[in-house]
Amino acid sequence: MYLLNFMPEYHGDVIISSSVRLSRNIDKLPFPVRLSVAERDKLNRAVYSVLADAGLPVKATDMSKLYPYEAVALAERGVISPEFASSSGGRMLISSADESVGIMLNEDDHIKITAFESGLQPEKAYANAEKYEKTLDGKLRFAFDPELGFLTQNPKNLGTGLKVTAVLHLPALSGSGRISSLISTVSKLGMSFRGAFGDSLSVCGDMYRISNCVTLGIDEKTAVSNLKSMALQIATKEHSCAEEMIKDISVRDRINRAMGLLSTAVLVDNDEMPEMLSLLRLGAVYGLCNADVSVINELMYTLQPANLNCLAGGRLSVREQDELRAKIIRKKLFPAE
């Protein structure tokens, strides 16, 4: 997993990560839905060969060779989409060793390149994704129309085929009830503002993701700049709200209770974990406890059910997951206790 470092200089107190995804298709080749498994496999080999020959750091994962929970674990960490995990025939994931780059082959489009960075660094993420894109375009030639831009199976992605995303931790805005009006405002500006996990309609651990919706009639740099500007505005609102929130003794009490529970519990279930880690992260950011924010960022992703199954090397019962989750939290967040 790409380590989600706490980077204050990139607004890491609020903005956990930035990512850029480029959707591309090979010119004159039918979309994946019209390709046979053999044709998809041929495309997979061609893409991998181009990147490997260029000396880019890549590893190939044949999705059909994974156990279902291994595929879901990748989706939990955000490396692939839930849709990509749901079907494996003729699909391949090409990624860097640290998962800072993940390339889905034969989802709805031939190629989807996603690059991740800690904090608010969408420009850096875009530069990394673009490096892979240019390498592939130079050999495979992407489908492009002078008026419509890059051609994609879903018309909503026509144009740049670019999705820029920032994942934010917003406990103060969420806890104060201000998040609903903010979501409404951001949506009117052509951006998506939803929960960061699961089906995106529910919110876990006060984690949200904001993404651009407009891909046609706008260039890549403008899309990146617009998303960055909006994420900064939301982070500023969160700072202001949080500074007032932590003055409330009941909030400080909840943070201390979360720290006490997580440091001693022998069972932590998947429903209570996000809330407890969210409170602990709020306390750590504002100096109310000594927990490592980078570790909390990582645990938000890696303690979900499928990732725990991967760690154990097989399917665990719910009770076994809860026990392992508690053990990892105690070991990583409270090593001296």
Side-chain angles (χ1 to χ4, degrees), residues 213-264:
C213 294
V214 179
T215 59
L216 192 60
I218 187 173
D219 62 72
E220 289 89 342
K221 290 184 178 179
T222 300
V224 170
S225 177
N226 288 347
L227 189 285
K228 182 175 183 178
S229 176
M230 181 57 67
L232 280 171
Q233 292 180 52
I234 295 172
T236 299
K237 292 180 183 293
E238 172 66 20
H239 288 150
S240 178
C241 192
E243 287 171 0
E244 289 299 315
M245 184 179 184
I246 61 174
K247 295 176 183 178
D248 186 337
I249 191 170
S250 66
V251 173
R252 300 167 80 97
D253 179 66
R254 289 169 59 208
I255 291 171
N256 286 334
R257 286 175 181 270
M259 183 166 58
L261 186 153
L262 292 175
S263 64
T264 60

Side-chain angles (χ1 to χ4, degrees), residues 39-114:
E39 289 171 326
R40 293 180 190 178
D41 287 339
K42 182 179 179 181
L43 171 61
N44 295 340
R45 292 192 297 271
V47 171
Y48 179 80
S49 295
V50 169
L51 296 177
D53 290 346
L56 291 172
V58 290
K59 67 174 183 177
T61 302
D62 183 341
M63 297 301 292
S64 67
K65 304 297 184 183
L66 299 181
Y67 288 109
Y69 67 80
E70 291 177 311
V72 174
L74 289 166
E76 287 178 348
R77 298 198 300 275
V79 181
I80 64 175
S81 67
E83 294 77 16
F84 194 71
S86 65
S87 177
S88 60
R91 289 182 171 180
M92 176 180 283
L93 169 67
I94 296 178
S95 61
S96 57
D98 63 359
E99 296 183 349
S100 60
V101 173
I103 305 174
M104 295 182 288
L105 301 183
N106 291 309
E107 190 197 38
D108 56 342
D109 292 308
H110 295 143
I111 301 169
K112 285 190 175 180
I113 306 167
T114 306

Side-chain angles (χ1 to χ4, degrees), residues 18-38:
S18 308
S19 65
V20 163
R21 188 190 72 198
L22 297 171
S23 297
R24 299 291 185 261
N25 289 282
I26 307 302
D27 193 31
K28 302 187 187 313
L29 187 67
F31 290 125
V33 70
R34 296 178 58 194
L35 295 177
S36 67
V37 171

Side-chain angles (χ1 to χ4, degrees), residues 7 16 26 68 101 124 133 146 150 209 212-213 279 295 317:
M7 306 182 74
I16 292 178
I26 307 302
V101 173
K124 187 175 179 180
E133 180 211 25
F150 289 102
R209 69 169 180 248
N212 65 301
C213 294
L279 284 167
V295 172
S317 67

